[in-house]
Amino acid sequence: MKAVRAVAAGGPGVLETADVAVPEPGPRDVQIAVRLAGVNFADVNARRGTYRAPGGPAPRGLGLDLYGEVRAVGAAVTRLRTGQRVAGFAATPAYAEVAVAHADLVWPVPDEVSDEAAASYPVVGQTAYHLLKTAARLRDGESVLVTAAAGGVGATAIQVARLLGAGTIVGAAGSPERAAEAVARGADAGVDYSASGVAEGMAAAAAAHAVDVALDGVGGAVRRGAFHCLNPFGRLVHFGNASGEPEELPTARTLRERGITVVGFHLQTLRERRRGLLADGARHLLAWLADGRLTIPVADVLPLNRAADAHRLLESRRVSGKLLLSIGPSR
């Protein structure tokens, strides 16, 4: 089968398409004919060698989430059947024509959900849902700030916050156009934190829209600004460090005096240790996608052999929405 592999740690040019063996499912696994695979910043970090990739040392495969059809089921699998449309998280690299997934980490896709929507929701949808529901423990009427609000997770989090009963929602982004996109996705206000500098932009957000929950995957000055926007007893949820700046947290004294909670979130922890929470997220997200209350923006769909171009687009930070790789025929 065809699969994309990183032949070394480095830039997008290290990605190559190769013929590799078809992975076989274990007793609790399913084998999936991949139709679409998600492109995520975790893939970029794995390609760069920032952290260990699931595929092991180079050459290694990439890809966390997928959509496709079940080709075979393990002997202990009873919940899924061959031919079924499924989406979720792969156990073997998803940038491939065939992948294997644990049966507990993929879920049937309703007929009303399009192929692209199914492929887009596992990483960005589950991240957005659990940032708000599980990590922040959002309560009805609470206000929310989302940084990088025009990206896949940010745009989805704005909608999920509304569906979970949030009050005022502020979308913050690094340009006027992207701040406007956050408003188009349902935010009550958009903040351009590049207009006069991050600190000034976020301070303006705090003055006009002090918030109870702030979600940040950017880090650096953006995270510091988000922290200063919080009301007493607010919660900052940090889930990434796209800025690449050294990570830092407020002092214990600052947290105590302001009554602020800082919560970390990593989707891999749920995949490894809290699969029941992911099942709950899938149930809600697929229902919202099926009835049209949730729309996950898709920035582009590129063929498998253009995985390097997809990575370049993602690293440009000009992408609004989810990037996908097309691998097999869709409906």
Side-chain angles (χ1 to χ4, degrees), residues 1-5 16-22 97:
M1 70 169 185
K2 298 293 183 184
V4 168
R5 302 189 302 170
E16 295 183 359
T17 304
D19 289 310
V20 302
V22 175
E97 291 179 320

Side-chain angles (χ1 to χ4, degrees), residues 30-227:
V30 292
Q31 185 188 66
I32 298 168
V34 182
R35 304 307 184 200
L36 295 163
V39 181
N40 303 287
F41 238 97
D43 306 333
V44 170
N45 285 330
R47 187 207 73 221
R48 292 171 175 170
T50 304
Y51 53 71
R52 182 176 57 85
R60 59 174 176 262
L62 300 175
L64 300 175
D65 55 343
L66 54 75
Y67 158 78
E69 296 175 359
V70 177
R71 286 184 19 147
V73 300
V77 176
T78 58
R79 188 175 61 87
L80 300 168
R81 63 181 187 278
T82 58
Q84 201 166 19
R85 299 170 68 223
V86 294
F89 301 100
T92 62
Y95 292 12
E97 291 179 320
V98 178
V100 163
H102 193 285
D104 286 346
L105 289 176
V106 293
W107 299 276
V109 176
D111 291 341
E112 297 84 359
V113 177
S114 71
D115 294 349
E116 289 187 5
S120 299
Y121 98 87
V123 166
V124 300
Q126 292 275 15
T127 298
Y129 180 83
H130 289 291
L131 286 172
L132 292 156
K133 180 75 173 181
T134 305
R137 303 186 183 187
L138 181 70
R139 296 186 289 267
D140 284 350
E142 287 191 312
S143 51
V144 177
L145 168 70
V146 181
T147 68
V153 171
T156 305
I158 288 169
Q159 298 174 75
V160 171
R162 187 71 70 205
L163 289 164
L164 291 175
T168 300
I169 301 171
V170 180
S175 72
E177 296 78 14
R178 292 173 77 79
E181 288 178 33
V183 174
R185 286 289 166 189
D188 297 295
V191 173
D192 169 20
Y193 48 63
S194 72
S196 56
V198 172
E200 292 84 352
M202 298 299 278
H209 306 284
V211 296
D212 301 305
V213 170
L215 310 181
D216 178 63
V218 180
V222 173
R223 182 167 301 156
R224 291 191 293 273
F227 179 79

Side-chain angles (χ1 to χ4, degrees), residues 294-330:
L294 174 63
T295 303
I296 298 177
V298 175
D300 206 349
V301 182
L302 300 176
L304 181 65
N305 61 8
R306 291 187 60 195
D309 290 334
H311 278 224
R312 291 186 186 98
L313 282 170
L314 195 60
E315 289 176 285
S316 75
R317 304 195 187 283
R318 294 191 298 269
V319 173
S320 297
K322 180 79 171 183
L323 281 171
L324 300 172
L325 294 177
S326 176
I327 300 170
S330 298

Side-chain angles (χ1 to χ4, degrees), residues 107 121 126 129 277-289:
W107 299 276
Y121 98 87
Q126 292 275 15
Y129 180 83
L277 291 176
L278 290 174
D280 174 69
R283 179 170 59 85
H284 284 88
L285 292 161
L286 287 167
W288 291 334
L289 289 168

